[in-house]
């Protein structure tokens, strides 16, 4: 089993139980060493999952959210509109990525979950210190968006489409 798939299954197991899951039990289940599980948990934490280590095992302290990747395009001036639209529909903008013809996939973690976060991002871009990642691909970019349910993601998709931001893949 590939590491990414194993981590998805670890999240699923933690999300479906109230009981802590010991690293030894997870290691046995996936036929890997305990150290591999410890590294998986570290990677999950680095990716924003709230995993707590207790003396009886690991616990996912926040609910696993549904995620979807949306391909979008808009102007610099519409960055706030896009972010606020996603957040007000119950989403969280986890990251942004672009497919650069020379450099390949370039991505950055955003973690935007409030209007204030979106506005702070925009202000920092307007200051001129940096340019938005989407500027290297003529406005085309991808966002990983999370929400409490697939229904909320469907609503976000529809709203992005209505605004003309969504690029159908």
């Amino acid at each position: 089993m590939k590491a990414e798939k194993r981590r998805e299954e670890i999240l699923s197991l933690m999300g479906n139980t109230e009981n802590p899951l010991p690293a030894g039990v997870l290691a046995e289940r996936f036929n890997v060493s305990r150290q591999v599980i410890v590294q998986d948990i570290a990677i999950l934490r680095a990716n924003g999952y709230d995993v707590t280590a207790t003396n009886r095992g690991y616990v996912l302290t926040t609910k696993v959210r549904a995620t979807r990747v949306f391909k979008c395009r808009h102007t610099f001036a519409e960055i706030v509109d896009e972010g606020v639209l996603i957040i007000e529909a119950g989403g969280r903008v986890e990251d942004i990525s672009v497919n650069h013809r020379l450099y390949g996939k370039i991505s950055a973690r955003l973690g935007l979950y409030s209007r204030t976060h979106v506005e702070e991002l925009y202000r920092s871009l307007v200051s001129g210190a940096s340019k938005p990642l989407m500027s290297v691909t003529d406005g085309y970019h991808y966002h990983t968006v999370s929400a409490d349910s697939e229904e909320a993601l469907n609503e976000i998709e529809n709203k992005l489409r209505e605004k003309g931001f969504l690029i159908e893949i």
Side-chain angles (χ1 to χ4, degrees):
M1 173 181 292
K2 297 205 179 224
E4 189 172 313
K5 179 72 173 154
R6 184 180 58 248
R7 287 189 286 272
E8 286 175 14
E9 289 194 27
I10 290 170
L11 279 174
S12 177
L13 288 169
M14 286 191 295
N16 289 318
T17 184
E18 301 277 322
N19 301 321
L21 293 171
V25 170
L26 292 169
E28 188 174 309
R29 177 181 177 108
F30 296 109
N31 198 29
V32 295
S33 70
R34 187 181 173 285
Q35 185 57 37
V36 168
I37 298 298
V38 170
Q39 290 170 347
D40 285 341
I41 296 298
I43 290 168
L44 290 171
R45 286 178 174 154
N47 287 328
Y49 292 98
D50 194 8
V51 179
T52 302
T54 71
N55 62 346
R56 295 181 320 159
Y58 295 109
V59 178
L60 186 61
T61 51
T62 55
K63 190 170 115 179
V64 175
R65 295 168 56 91
T67 61
R68 191 174 301 168
V69 176
F70 297 107
K71 183 176 183 181
C72 300
R73 184 175 189 224
H74 53 76
T75 66
F76 179 82
E78 294 171 315
I79 289 174
V80 172
D81 292 341
E82 177 197 49
V84 169
L85 178 153
I86 291 169
I87 290 162
E88 287 182 351
R92 177 179 165 137
V93 184
E94 301 294 344
D95 64 21
I96 183 171
S97 63
V98 296
N99 287 325
H100 192 276
R101 289 186 181 177
L102 180 61
Y103 301 120
K105 182 179 180 182
I106 304 169
S107 63
R109 182 154 177 73
L110 294 176
L112 304 175
Y113 57 88
S114 74
R115 181 183 197 102
T116 303
H117 286 135
V118 174
E119 291 168 350
E120 286 173 1
L121 172 69
Y122 185 73
R123 277 194 300 277
S124 68
L125 292 170
V126 168
S127 75
S130 297
K131 294 204 181 284
L133 195 52
M134 65 182 222
S135 68
V136 300
T137 55
D138 196 31
Y140 291 97
H141 59 285
Y142 299 85
H143 284 300
T144 303
V145 175
S146 67
D148 287 335
S149 66
E150 288 294 327
E151 292 77 20
L153 289 173
N154 290 340
E155 180 181 341
I156 292 165
E157 183 173 336
N158 290 333
K159 289 181 182 251
L160 288 169
R161 184 177 292 114
E162 288 170 10
K163 270 299 249 187
F165 295 158
L166 187 68
I167 303 298
E168 304 292 340
I169 300 176

